[in-house]
Amino acid sequence: MPSSETITIDLRKATDAPLDLQQTLGNDFFAALDQDEILGGEVRVGIKVKAAAADSFAVRIAAEGQVIVACDRCLEELTLPIHTEAQMTLRYGDDNEDFNDSADVTVIPFTATTYDLGWDIYEFIALALPLQRVHPDGECNEEITQYIIQQ
């Protein structure tokens, strides 16, 4: 992810003491990702990383702000509020290891000293979006909706 807003955590520092990071993600962050669901926005993200047992790290992510998506009805930009909290576990291991105890375990190579949370944070934000994303009644682009909504 070539972005000036990458969210890389230093796992060596997290081993010594818990990390507490704050960052605001803007339009550049969403534009740099290979996705077309979120067009932009401003989201404040808080990240807590703590070393846990068995070569693993507990990661807690809280995101609050607003994102811009396309309206499902008229395809014009629609601003939606975001408020989500998530947790995941980073664990050193081999790619072929099976961690059946949790679906939220990300396996990282033993040689990794850093981890970029950018895509994980994007996914948590995207999952917090409502399934139906439409403007309130009467706010959609009338030029478009006249062809799809029967009066």
Side-chain angles (χ1 to χ4, degrees):
M1 176 180 61
S3 171
S4 60
E5 296 188 63
T6 60
I7 305 167
T8 303
I9 54 173
D10 187 336
L11 299 173
R12 293 170 298 185
K13 288 183 181 177
T15 302
D16 298 334
L19 297 178
D20 192 3
L21 310 168
Q22 303 291 321
Q23 188 157 354
T24 300
L25 307 178
N27 294 337
D28 291 342
F29 173 80
F30 295 107
L33 296 172
D34 187 21
Q35 56 87 33
D36 57 3
E37 188 169 2
I38 298 176
L39 306 174
E42 185 174 315
V43 180
R44 292 168 307 285
V45 178
I47 304 162
K48 295 182 187 285
V49 182
K50 186 170 108 175
D55 292 330
S56 65
F57 300 88
V59 181
R60 298 183 67 94
I61 299 167
E64 189 169 340
Q66 56 187 12
V67 295
I68 301 167
V69 297
C71 173
D72 290 339
R73 188 180 299 141
C74 70
L75 301 179
E76 294 288 326
E77 290 186 353
L78 169 65
T79 302
L80 295 173
I82 288 294
H83 178 74
T84 187
E85 293 183 16
Q87 52 189 353
M88 62 184 285
T89 301
L90 299 176
R91 179 174 284 169
Y92 285 113
D94 296 323
D95 286 337
N96 57 359
E97 283 187 67
D98 186 20
F99 296 108
N100 290 327
D101 56 342
S102 175
D104 292 330
V105 173
T106 300
V107 178
I108 55 176
F110 287 106
T111 58
T113 58
T114 62
Y115 183 79
D116 185 357
L117 284 169
W119 187 256
D120 298 297
I121 291 172
Y122 162 76
E123 286 182 338
F124 291 134
I125 292 170
L127 287 171
L129 292 171
L131 291 177
Q132 188 175 29
R133 304 163 193 163
V134 295
H135 289 103
D137 288 339
E139 292 184 24
C140 278
N141 181 332
E142 290 181 25
E143 195 172 316
I144 301 297
T145 57
Q146 71 179 347
Y147 295 107
I148 58 173
I149 299 176
Q150 300 295 324
Q151 301 280 339

